[in-house]
Amino acid sequence: MDILETDAYDRRQRRATSVFLFLSLLPFFLSSSAYFYLWIPESSPSVFAAAVKSIPVISLAAVVLCYQGGRSLWGVAGGLLFSAGGDICLIWHEMFIYGLTLFAVAHVLYSAAFLSHRYSPAPCSCTSVFLSIPLWLLGAGVYFYMYPNLQKQEDADVITLAVAGYTLLIVTMATLAVRTHRPSTFLGSLIFMVSDLSLALQVFKMIDQAPAGRAVVMTTYYLAQLLIAVGDVTADGDKGGGLGKRKRM
């Protein structure tokens, strides 16, 4: 097969892959739309509310598992499932610390995935360092801004340490995402930080809790998880396997 035929075949493969990926993501788009349509008040926690909130992320985990197999349970698919568990816990305010713990595990799994050979993380460079510095400044700045209010919470010692540890993990995850040099992965991690920091400012009474604030948190959260999932699905494709180029001889 000559070069022109190979290029044409590759383009057809990429188009077919994009269409199939979009169709695979339809459950996510439908379930996340259902969440915003129903918009169950936070004052009415229930098993139904927990299901409506968590199904979009569970559907993303199913997509990643479909493409990457069981190995992704120790990476992005596992992170998505733990995130869904965190979503369920956060429906009930008294389970906040459990939700925080599950999301922390999710970030550990995301970080492990970004370090894997599938992502081929680039060596630490001046560009990576330059892009990572604002992330650490943002994380540290928001934490110290919240610190006085954290000290006013019940079990202040536990909450203060838990939030500090969580902040460290999410910023580390975003820093490792920078090293992958994958726009979807990096943007997803950055938006995840914005979503979680916005949520923290509301939970710990640094800003008023309003419907618009919740909408911002959930919109950015679902977008972040979508980008991270798509980045993982296409990771092999960029290197010529999985969803990417398959040359015919």
Side-chain angles (χ1 to χ4, degrees), residues 111-161:
S111 297
F114 300 158
L115 285 171
S116 70
H117 69 280
R118 291 180 51 249
Y119 280 80
S120 300
C124 189
S125 64
C126 292
T127 302
S128 298
V129 172
F130 179 76
L131 291 174
S132 299
I133 289 175
L135 299 178
W136 287 97
L137 291 177
L138 174 63
V142 173
Y143 176 75
F144 285 111
Y145 177 65
M146 294 190 301
Y147 185 81
N149 275 33
L150 294 176
Q151 291 292 298
K152 299 176 184 177
Q153 305 297 314
E154 293 184 15
D155 299 324
D157 292 340
V158 174
I159 290 293
T160 301
L161 287 176

Side-chain angles (χ1 to χ4, degrees), residues 98-112:
Y98 298 106
L100 192 70
T101 301
L102 291 173
F103 275 112
V105 175
H107 292 312
V108 171
L109 292 173
Y110 288 152
S111 297

Side-chain angles (χ1 to χ4, degrees), residues 35-107:
Y35 170 82
F36 288 108
Y37 176 76
L38 295 171
W39 202 240
I40 300 170
E42 291 185 306
S43 58
S44 304
S46 65
V47 173
F48 178 70
V52 170
K53 185 180 181 183
S54 61
I55 284 175
V57 177
I58 293 174
S59 71
L60 289 176
V63 172
V64 175
L65 280 169
C66 178
Y67 279 91
Q68 302 297 350
R71 63 180 178 176
S72 59
L73 286 172
W74 299 103
V76 169
L80 289 165
L81 291 174
F82 272 98
S83 294
D87 290 332
I88 292 171
C89 289
L90 293 184
I91 289 289
W92 291 273
H93 296 298
E94 63 271 19
M95 296 184 69
F96 175 81
I97 196 69
Y98 298 106
L100 192 70
T101 301
L102 291 173
F103 275 112
V105 175
H107 292 312

